[in-house]
Amino acid sequence: MKEFTIAPDPSARNLSESMQGVDHTGAAITLPVVVEKPLTLFLNGQEIVTMMTIGDYPEYLAIGYLLNQNMLQTDDIIAGVDYDDDLGVVVVRTDHETNFEDKLKKKTQTSGCAQGTVFGDVMEKFEEIELDPAAVLKTSWIYALSRKINRQPSLYLTAGAIHGCVLCEGDVPLVYMEDVGRHNAIDKIAGYMWRHKISPKAKIFYTTGRLTSEMVIKTVQMQIPIVISRSGFTAWGVDLARQSGLTLIGRAKGKRFVCLSGAERLIYDIDPDQVPEESTKHQRKASR
Amino acid sequence: MKEFTIAPDPSARNLSESMQGVDHTGAAITLPVVVEKPLTLFLNGQEIVTMMTIGDYPEYLAIGYLLNQNMLQTDDIIAGVDYDDDLGVVVVRTDHETNFEDKLKKKTQTSGCAQGTVFGDVMEKFEEIELDPAAVLKTSWIYALSRKINRQPSLYLTAGAIHGCVLCEGDVPLVYMEDVGRHNAIDKIAGYMWRHKISPKAKIFYTTGRLTSEMVIKTVQMQIPIVISRSGFTAWGVDLARQSGLTLIGRAKGKRFVCLSGAERLIYDIDPDQVPEESTKHQRKASR
């Protein structure tokens, strides 16, 4: 796959709105603001959930959500996905019958930026998954990925108030998804990986969001062995990462980072003092 | 009420854990990480939701959640609130019978850091609410509040990866709540306001989180006329604020801010160039 096979399109008119207001001097200003709209997901005849999303890639979002919630298995046959922009509805159809009445009754709302739901049996599967033991993470990749991702045009740089998640391999960012909820961004990546049969082996998952229990659970569910975040951790997120052997890198800004799980995958191949300052500047400029 | 009647206690042992890892130089480090644990809320006999929270103020969180979801009305009589730390369960008991079978079937997951749920009839009530037309916001208050809140010791400053919400009046921060999900922090403030019969009139709500549809809906639900955030906006959040006459201030950092709704409440009483740089530094230092 080539670098940024999928990348944000900040110029896409339907993803942000130009809005008028006043600034700290009282001057009239106009600025781009990311859209946020409801998308209701049906699996066959059954309404599953309504998600708030920027609305790009509804098919990937729908499939990825169902996969990460264990409502679809990777070997399930999807007969079709229908999306109606006006109604804000996406319907996923499978060959086999599905019914999640009981499952839908028992939801756990997850933390902070995660905002998703986790079902009991997701944890059961979580405990069975073994992550790629051969995967490694060169520290030079952490810096290269941060630099490339922060340089890439995005809604985050133009409008802010949005999360980004990037599927990477080595020092190459492959699939860059943004959404108002980072759980949507990671679900869209899961849907893309399923649709294009991309193996999670040796993959690296980069996120702008905090490393909460939900982000760790979804990453392990996707069988990706390494996560890098610009943000911090929650204790349960770290505990789950350690249980599953996930390499967890947080607070990755400029030359700094912290690894709280799976440090055995780290290869220190670069002197941090040789990391170009630039990447930090980009991050600061992007901070909104 | 006095300044910071309630404020975070970063030294509270049960709110953060000391965790070991390695840093970008390969050196072993120990850092504080915020806890995140499930709390299951029952209203009388009925399980409502499981929330991920740092676990302080479960009573305020439970009551505030139910109020902001329209499952409790402000004039309802609460017979008791029982909290079991070991089981991670909080039960709210009312004098009148409650049943939300249908309501619980139809949830909307909200955006980004919000992570909450919004029920259909919340929007119905939203349209009826009229916010205090007499409330004003002096720009000097925006700077004073930011400075005071950023100076106040918090889990955010010590551990990061947590959101803060502060109920304020004039330039005085009154109630400062933190949580892994900012929707929890605002619900805890709603519960506190109900318990202590605090009027929302002339109040200002300060948050570290993005101004999404859910945060606007909850603020209006609480009848607070003014919101200030360090973060950005979503378009639907701005639309809802304009519909309800909510004053919406975002990107409040250092001397800068943007107002996208309710600018008629603004009183420019200070030259932004006279704002001490310090507040910016504090914010940057706190950025994790």
Side-chain angles (χ1 to χ4, degrees), chain A residues 180-245:
Chain A
V180 282
R182 71 185 175 192
H183 55 286
N184 289 340
I186 188 172
D187 286 344
K188 284 190 282 192
I189 287 176
Y192 183 92
M193 290 174 74
W194 181 88
R195 175 63 86 194
H196 300 278
K197 301 191 169 45
I198 295 171
S199 163
K201 286 210 169 216
K203 293 296 187 298
I204 299 163
F205 178 63
Y206 179 99
T207 174
T208 59
R210 289 175 296 162
L211 298 167
T212 60
S213 56
E214 186 195 31
M215 289 303 274
V216 169
I217 289 166
K218 280 180 185 277
T219 309
V220 171
Q221 182 90 347
M222 292 159 70
Q223 303 193 34
I224 295 174
I226 297 161
V227 186
I228 301 168
S229 173
R230 278 213 292 267
S231 301
F233 312 84
T234 68
W236 196 27
V238 174
D239 291 339
L240 290 170
R242 289 173 175 176
Q243 283 173 40
S244 57

Coordinates of all heavy atoms in Angstrom, one line a residue, chain A residues 180-245:
Chain A
V180 N -15.5 13.1 14.5 CA -15.8 13.8 15.8 C -15.6 12.9 17.0 O -15.2 13.4 18.1 CB -17.2 14.4 15.8 CG1 -17.2 15.7 14.9 CG2 -18.2 13.4 15.3
G181 N -15.8 11.6 16.8 CA -15.5 10.7 17.9 C -14.3 9.8 17.4 O -14.4 9.2 16.3
R182 N -13.3 9.6 18.2 CA -12.2 8.8 17.7 C -12.6 7.4 17.6 O -12.0 6.6 16.8 CB -11.0 9.0 18.6 CG -11.2 8.3 19.9 CD -10.1 8.5 20.9 NE -10.5 7.9 22.1 CZ -9.9 8.1 23.3 NH1 -8.8 8.8 23.4 NH2 -10.4 7.5 24.3
H183 N -13.6 6.9 18.4 CA -14.1 5.6 18.3 C -14.7 5.4 16.8 O -14.6 4.3 16.3 CB -15.2 5.3 19.3 CG -16.3 6.3 19.2 ND1 -16.1 7.6 19.6 CD2 -17.5 6.3 18.7 CE1 -17.2 8.3 19.4 NE2 -18.1 7.5 18.8
N184 N -15.2 6.4 16.3 CA -15.7 6.3 14.9 C -14.5 6.2 13.9 O -14.5 5.4 13.0 CB -16.5 7.5 14.4 CG -17.8 7.6 15.1 OD1 -18.3 6.6 15.6 ND2 -18.4 8.8 15.2
A185 N -13.4 7.0 14.2 CA -12.3 6.9 13.3 C -11.7 5.5 13.3 O -11.3 5.0 12.3 CB -11.3 8.0 13.7
I186 N -11.6 4.9 14.5 CA -10.9 3.6 14.6 C -11.9 2.5 13.9 O -11.4 1.6 13.2 CB -10.5 3.2 16.0 CG1 -9.7 1.9 16.0 CG2 -11.7 3.1 16.9 CD1 -9.1 1.5 17.3
D187 N -13.2 2.7 14.1 CA -14.2 1.8 13.5 C -14.1 1.9 12.0 O -14.2 0.9 11.3 CB -15.6 2.0 14.0 CG -15.8 1.6 15.4 OD1 -15.0 0.8 15.9 OD2 -16.8 2.0 16.0
K188 N -13.9 3.1 11.5 CA -13.8 3.2 10.0 C -12.5 2.5 9.5 O -12.6 1.9 8.4 CB -13.8 4.7 9.6 CG -15.1 5.4 9.7 CD -15.2 6.8 9.1 CE -14.6 7.8 10.0 NZ -14.9 9.2 9.6
I189 N -11.5 2.6 10.3 CA -10.3 1.8 9.9 C -10.5 0.3 9.9 O -10.1 -0.4 9.0 CB -9.1 2.2 10.8 CG1 -8.6 3.7 10.4 CG2 -7.9 1.3 10.6 CD1 -7.5 4.2 11.3
A190 N -11.2 -0.1 10.9 CA -11.5 -1.6 11.0 C -12.4 -2.0 9.8 O -12.1 -3.1 9.2 CB -12.3 -1.9 12.3
G191 N -13.3 -1.2 9.4 CA -14.1 -1.5 8.3 C -13.3 -1.5 7.0 O -13.5 -2.4 6.1
Y192 N -12.4 -0.5 6.9 CA -11.5 -0.5 5.7 C -10.6 -1.7 5.6 O -10.5 -2.4 4.6 CB -10.7 0.8 5.7 CG -9.8 0.9 4.5 CD1 -10.2 1.6 3.4 CD2 -8.5 0.3 4.4 CE1 -9.4 1.8 2.3 CE2 -7.7 0.4 3.3 CZ -8.2 1.2 2.2 OH -7.4 1.3 1.1
M193 N -10.1 -2.1 6.8 CA -9.2 -3.3 6.8 C -10.0 -4.6 6.4 O -9.5 -5.4 5.7 CB -8.6 -3.5 8.2 CG -7.6 -2.4 8.6 SD -7.0 -2.6 10.3 CE -6.0 -4.0 10.2
W194 N -11.2 -4.7 6.9 CA -12.0 -5.9 6.5 C -12.3 -5.9 5.0 O -12.1 -6.9 4.4 CB -13.3 -5.8 7.3 CG -14.2 -7.0 7.1 CD1 -14.2 -8.2 7.7 CD2 -15.2 -7.1 6.1 NE1 -15.1 -9.0 7.1 CE2 -15.8 -8.4 6.1 CE3 -15.7 -6.2 5.1 CZ2 -16.8 -8.8 5.3 CZ3 -16.8 -6.6 4.3 CH2 -17.3 -7.9 4.4
R195 N -12.8 -4.7 4.5 CA -13.2 -4.6 3.1 C -12.0 -4.9 2.2 O -12.2 -5.5 1.1 CB -13.8 -3.2 2.9 CG -14.2 -3.0 1.4 CD -15.2 -3.9 0.9 NE -16.6 -3.4 1.3 CZ -17.7 -4.2 1.2 NH1 -17.6 -5.5 0.8 NH2 -18.9 -3.7 1.5
H196 N -10.8 -4.5 2.6 CA -9.7 -4.6 1.7 C -8.7 -5.7 2.1 O -7.6 -5.8 1.7 CB -8.9 -3.3 1.6 CG -9.8 -2.2 1.0 ND1 -10.0 -2.0 -0.4 CD2 -10.6 -1.2 1.6 CE1 -10.9 -1.0 -0.6 NE2 -11.2 -0.5 0.6
K197 N -9.2 -6.6 3.1 CA -8.4 -7.7 3.5 C -7.0 -7.4 3.9 O -6.0 -8.0 3.4 CB -8.5 -8.8 2.4 CG -9.9 -9.3 2.1 CD -9.9 -10.5 1.2 CE -11.2 -11.1 1.0 NZ -12.3 -10.1 0.8
I198 N -6.9 -6.4 4.8 CA -5.5 -6.0 5.2 C -5.2 -6.7 6.5 O -6.0 -6.6 7.5 CB -5.5 -4.4 5.4 CG1 -5.7 -3.7 4.1 CG2 -4.2 -4.0 6.1 CD1 -5.9 -2.3 4.2
S199 N -4.1 -7.3 6.6 CA -3.7 -8.1 7.8 C -3.2 -7.1 8.9 O -2.6 -6.1 8.6 CB -2.5 -9.0 7.4 OG -1.9 -9.4 8.7
P200 N -3.6 -7.4 10.1 CA -3.2 -6.5 11.2 C -1.7 -6.8 11.6 O -1.1 -6.0 12.4 CB -4.1 -6.9 12.3 CG -4.5 -8.3 12.1 CD -4.5 -8.4 10.6
K201 N -1.1 -7.8 11.1 CA 0.3 -8.2 11.5 C 1.2 -7.0 11.2 O 1.2 -6.4 10.2 CB 0.7 -9.4 10.8 CG 0.1 -10.7 11.3 CD 0.9 -11.9 11.2 CE 0.3 -13.1 12.0 NZ 1.3 -13.9 12.6
A202 N 2.1 -6.8 12.2 CA 3.2 -5.8 12.0 C 2.6 -4.3 11.8 O 3.3 -3.4 11.5 CB 4.1 -6.1 10.9
K203 N 1.3 -4.2 12.0 CA 0.7 -2.9 11.9 C 0.9 -2.0 13.1 O 1.0 -2.6 14.2 CB -0.8 -3.0 11.5 CG -1.1 -3.6 10.1 CD -0.5 -2.7 9.0 CE -0.9 -3.2 7.6 NZ -0.4 -4.6 7.3
I204 N 0.8 -0.7 12.9 CA 0.9 0.2 14.1 C -0.3 1.1 14.0 O -0.7 1.6 12.9 CB 2.2 1.1 14.0 CG1 3.4 0.2 14.1 CG2 2.2 2.1 15.1 CD1 4.7 0.8 13.6
F205 N -1.0 1.3 15.1 CA -2.1 2.2 15.1 C -1.8 3.5 15.8 O -1.4 3.5 17.0 CB -3.3 1.5 15.9 CG -4.5 2.3 16.0 CD1 -5.2 2.7 14.9 CD2 -5.0 2.7 17.2 CE1 -6.3 3.4 15.0 CE2 -6.1 3.4 17.3 CZ -6.8 3.8 16.2
Y206 N -1.9 4.6 15.1 CA -1.6 5.9 15.7 C -2.9 6.7 15.9 O -3.8 6.7 15.1 CB -0.8 6.8 14.7 CG -0.4 8.2 15.1 CD1 0.8 8.5 15.7 CD2 -1.3 9.2 15.0 CE1 1.1 9.7 16.1 CE2 -1.0 10.5 15.4 CZ 0.2 10.8 15.9 OH 0.5 12.0 16.3
T207 N -3.1 7.3 17.1 CA -4.3 8.0 17.4 C -4.0 9.3 18.1 O -3.0 9.4 18.8 CB -5.3 7.1 18.3 OG1 -6.4 8.0 18.7 CG2 -4.5 6.6 19.6
T208 N -4.8 10.3 17.9 CA -4.7 11.6 18.6 C -5.3 11.5 20.0 O -5.1 12.4 20.8 CB -5.4 12.7 17.9 OG1 -6.8 12.4 17.7 CG2 -4.7 12.9 16.5
G209 N -6.1 10.4 20.2 CA -7.0 10.4 21.5 C -6.3 9.7 22.6 O -5.3 9.0 22.5
R210 N -6.9 9.8 23.8 CA -6.4 9.2 25.0 C -6.5 7.7 24.9 O -7.4 7.1 24.2 CB -7.2 9.7 26.2 CG -6.9 11.1 26.6 CD -7.8 11.6 27.7 NE -9.2 11.5 27.2 CZ -10.2 11.6 28.1 NH1 -10.0 11.6 29.4 NH2 -11.5 11.6 27.6
L211 N -5.6 7.0 25.6 CA -5.6 5.5 25.6 C -6.4 5.0 26.7 O -5.9 4.6 27.8 CB -4.1 5.1 25.6 CG -3.3 5.5 24.4 CD1 -1.8 5.3 24.7 CD2 -3.7 4.9 23.2
T212 N -7.7 5.0 26.5 CA -8.7 4.5 27.5 C -8.9 3.0 27.3 O -8.5 2.4 26.3 CB -10.0 5.2 27.4 OG1 -10.5 5.0 26.1 CG2 -9.8 6.7 27.6
S213 N -9.7 2.4 28.2 CA -10.0 1.0 28.1 C -10.6 0.7 26.7 O -10.3 -0.3 26.1 CB -10.9 0.5 29.2 OG -12.1 1.3 29.2
E214 N -11.5 1.5 26.2 CA -12.2 1.2 25.0 C -11.2 1.2 23.8 O -11.3 0.3 22.9 CB -13.3 2.2 24.7 CG -14.1 1.7 23.4 CD -15.0 2.8 22.8 OE1 -14.6 4.0 22.9 OE2 -16.0 2.4 22.2
M215 N -10.3 2.2 23.7 CA -9.4 2.2 22.6 C -8.5 1.0 22.6 O -8.2 0.4 21.6 CB -8.5 3.5 22.6 CG -9.4 4.7 22.3 SD -10.2 4.6 20.7 CE -8.8 5.2 19.6
V216 N -8.1 0.6 23.8 CA -7.2 -0.6 23.9 C -8.0 -1.9 23.5 O -7.5 -2.7 22.7 CB -6.7 -0.8 25.3 CG1 -6.1 -2.2 25.6 CG2 -5.7 0.3 25.7
I217 N -9.3 -2.0 23.9 CA -10.1 -3.1 23.6 C -10.3 -3.2 22.1 O -10.1 -4.3 21.4 CB -11.5 -3.1 24.3 CG1 -11.2 -3.3 25.8 CG2 -12.5 -4.1 23.7 CD1 -12.4 -3.0 26.7
K218 N -10.6 -2.0 21.5 CA -10.8 -2.0 20.0 C -9.6 -2.4 19.2 O -9.6 -3.2 18.3 CB -11.3 -0.7 19.5 CG -12.8 -0.4 19.8 CD -13.2 1.0 19.3 CE -14.7 1.3 19.6 NZ -15.6 0.8 18.7
T219 N -8.4 -1.9 19.7 CA -7.2 -2.2 19.0 C -6.8 -3.7 19.1 O -6.4 -4.3 18.1 CB -6.0 -1.3 19.6 OG1 -6.4 0.0 19.7 CG2 -4.7 -1.5 18.8
V220 N -7.0 -4.2 20.3 CA -6.7 -5.7 20.4 C -7.7 -6.5 19.6 O -7.4 -7.4 18.9 CB -6.8 -6.1 21.9 CG1 -6.8 -7.6 22.1 CG2 -5.7 -5.4 22.7
Q221 N -9.0 -6.1 19.6 CA -10.0 -6.7 18.8 C -9.6 -6.7 17.3 O -9.9 -7.7 16.6 CB -11.3 -5.9 19.0 CG -12.5 -6.4 18.2 CD -13.3 -7.3 19.1 OE1 -12.9 -7.8 20.1 NE2 -14.5 -7.6 18.6
M222 N -9.0 -5.7 16.9 CA -8.5 -5.6 15.5 C -7.2 -6.3 15.3 O -6.6 -6.4 14.2 CB -8.4 -4.1 15.1 CG -9.7 -3.4 15.0 SD -9.6 -1.6 15.1 CE -8.8 -1.3 13.5
Q223 N -6.6 -6.8 16.4 CA -5.4 -7.6 16.4 C -4.2 -6.8 16.0 O -3.2 -7.3 15.4 CB -5.5 -8.9 15.6 CG -6.7 -9.7 16.1 CD -6.7 -11.1 15.5 OE1 -5.7 -11.7 15.3 NE2 -7.9 -11.7 15.3
I224 N -4.2 -5.5 16.2 CA -3.1 -4.6 15.9 C -2.2 -4.6 17.2 O -2.7 -4.4 18.3 CB -3.5 -3.2 15.6 CG1 -4.3 -3.3 14.3 CG2 -2.3 -2.3 15.5 CD1 -5.0 -2.0 13.9
P225 N -0.9 -4.9 17.0 CA 0.0 -5.1 18.2 C 0.6 -3.9 18.9 O 1.1 -4.0 20.0 CB 1.1 -6.0 17.6 CG 1.2 -5.7 16.2 CD -0.2 -5.3 15.8
I226 N 0.5 -2.7 18.2 CA 1.2 -1.5 18.7 C 0.3 -0.3 18.5 O -0.4 -0.1 17.5 CB 2.5 -1.3 17.9 CG1 3.4 -2.5 18.1 CG2 3.1 0.0 18.3 CD1 4.5 -2.5 17.0
V227 N 0.2 0.5 19.6 CA -0.6 1.8 19.6 C 0.3 2.9 20.0 O 1.1 2.8 20.9 CB -1.8 1.8 20.5 CG1 -2.6 3.0 20.3 CG2 -2.6 0.6 20.3
I228 N 0.2 4.0 19.2 CA 0.9 5.3 19.6 C -0.1 6.4 19.7 O -0.9 6.5 18.8 CB 1.9 5.7 18.4 CG1 3.0 4.5 18.2 CG2 2.6 7.0 18.8 CD1 3.8 4.7 16.9
S229 N 0.0 7.1 20.8 CA -0.9 8.3 21.0 C -0.2 9.5 21.4 O 0.8 9.4 22.1 CB -2.0 7.9 22.0 OG -2.8 9.1 22.3
R230 N -0.7 10.6 20.9 CA -0.2 11.9 21.4 C -0.6 12.2 22.8 O -0.1 13.0 23.5 CB -0.7 13.1 20.5 CG 0.1 13.3 19.3 CD 0.1 14.7 18.9 NE -1.3 15.2 18.5 CZ -1.7 15.2 17.2 NH1 -0.9 14.8 16.3 NH2 -2.9 15.7 17.0
S231 N -1.7 11.5 23.2 CA -2.4 11.8 24.5 C -1.9 10.8 25.6 O -1.1 10.0 25.3 CB -3.9 11.8 24.4 OG -4.3 12.8 23.4
G232 N -2.6 11.0 26.7 CA -2.2 10.2 27.9 C -3.0 8.9 28.0 O -3.6 8.4 27.1
F233 N -2.9 8.3 29.2 CA -3.4 6.9 29.5 C -4.5 7.0 30.6 O -4.6 7.9 31.4 CB -2.3 6.0 30.0 CG -1.0 6.0 29.2 CD1 -0.1 7.0 29.5 CD2 -0.8 5.1 28.3 CE1 1.1 7.0 28.8 CE2 0.4 5.1 27.6 CZ 1.4 6.0 27.8
T234 N -5.3 5.9 30.6 CA -6.1 5.7 31.9 C -5.5 4.3 32.4 O -5.0 3.5 31.6 CB -7.6 5.5 31.7 OG1 -7.8 4.3 30.9 CG2 -8.2 6.7 30.9
A235 N -5.6 4.2 33.7 CA -5.0 3.0 34.4 C -5.6 1.7 33.8 O -4.9 0.7 33.6 CB -5.2 3.1 35.9
W236 N -6.9 1.7 33.6 CA -7.5 0.4 33.1 C -7.1 0.2 31.7 O -6.8 -1.0 31.3 CB -9.0 0.5 33.2 CG -9.7 -0.9 33.1 CD1 -9.1 -2.1 33.4 CD2 -11.0 -1.2 32.6 NE1 -10.0 -3.1 33.2 CE2 -11.1 -2.6 32.7 CE3 -12.0 -0.4 32.1 CZ2 -12.3 -3.2 32.3 CZ3 -13.2 -1.0 31.7 CH2 -13.3 -2.4 31.8
G237 N -6.9 1.2 30.9 CA -6.3 1.0 29.5 C -5.0 0.4 29.6 O -4.7 -0.6 28.8
V238 N -4.1 0.8 30.5 CA -2.8 0.2 30.6 C -2.9 -1.2 31.1 O -2.2 -2.1 30.6 CB -1.9 1.1 31.6 CG1 -0.6 0.4 31.9 CG2 -1.7 2.5 31.1
D239 N -3.7 -1.5 32.1 CA -3.9 -2.8 32.6 C -4.3 -3.8 31.5 O -3.8 -4.9 31.3 CB -5.0 -2.9 33.7 CG -4.5 -2.2 35.0 OD1 -3.3 -2.0 35.1 OD2 -5.3 -1.7 35.8
L240 N -5.3 -3.4 30.7 CA -5.8 -4.2 29.6 C -4.7 -4.4 28.5 O -4.5 -5.5 28.0 CB -7.0 -3.6 28.9 CG -8.3 -3.6 29.7 CD1 -9.4 -2.8 29.1 CD2 -8.8 -5.1 29.9
A241 N -3.9 -3.4 28.2 CA -2.8 -3.5 27.3 C -1.8 -4.5 27.8 O -1.3 -5.4 27.0 CB -2.2 -2.2 27.0
R242 N -1.5 -4.5 29.1 CA -0.5 -5.4 29.7 C -1.0 -6.8 29.6 O -0.3 -7.8 29.3 CB -0.1 -5.0 31.1 CG 0.7 -3.7 31.1 CD 0.9 -3.2 32.5 NE 1.8 -2.0 32.6 CZ 2.1 -1.3 33.7 NH1 1.5 -1.7 34.8 NH2 2.9 -0.3 33.6
Q243 N -2.3 -7.0 29.9 CA -2.9 -8.4 29.8 C -2.8 -9.0 28.4 O -2.6 -10.2 28.3 CB -4.4 -8.3 30.2 CG -4.7 -8.1 31.7 CD -6.2 -7.9 31.9 OE1 -7.0 -8.5 31.2 NE2 -6.5 -7.0 32.8
S244 N -2.9 -8.1 27.4 CA -3.0 -8.7 26.1 C -1.7 -8.6 25.3 O -1.6 -8.9 24.1 CB -4.1 -7.9 25.3 OG -3.8 -6.5 25.3
G245 N -0.6 -8.0 26.0 CA 0.7 -7.9 25.3 C 0.7 -6.8 24.2 O 1.5 -6.9 23.3

